[in-house]
Amino acid sequence: ESSVLRGDIEQARRQGFSTDCDQVVPGISAVAVAISTYRGLYAAMILAPTARMQPQRTRFLQELQCFQTNLQKLLDHPRA
């Protein structure tokens, strides 16, 4: 079990995002990205019913990656 989790984490790092389709909660899917700031790492996630997520997963991921880029720019350096 821990080796599967480690593999999932490594895959997410390589891809730059992570997905879940009915693995944690049946009928619920998610896509997530890491948000890197000067204060540390955070995450942003979109969670939706699987029936709604799967046909739009690419769009959800693109929107989330755009959000990730913009937020990281805003939070890149501490304000004076």
Side-chain angles (χ1 to χ4, degrees):
E1 213 174 82
S2 64
S3 64
V4 172
L5 179 59
R6 278 194 288 268
D8 289 347
I9 291 169
E10 285 304 315
Q11 180 180 0
R13 284 181 179 151
R14 281 192 307 276
Q15 293 179 146
F17 65 92
S18 180
T19 61
D20 170 33
C21 181
D22 301 323
Q23 291 175 309
V24 177
V25 178
I28 301 295
S29 291
V31 61
V33 295
I35 308 292
S36 179
T37 75
Y38 75 96
R39 299 189 115 199
L41 285 175
Y42 298 87
M45 173 177 66
I46 296 174
L47 184 74
T50 298
R52 189 167 167 224
M53 172 70 80
Q54 293 313 309
Q56 299 186 66
R57 192 187 107 175
T58 301
R59 181 173 162 249
F60 284 142
L61 177 58
Q62 289 170 342
E63 293 294 332
L64 197 54
Q65 288 171 325
C66 182
F67 173 76
Q68 173 192 39
T69 299
N70 290 331
L71 192 57
Q72 286 180 159
K73 285 178 186 175
L74 286 171
L75 300 177
D76 191 29
H77 299 288
R79 302 274 186 242

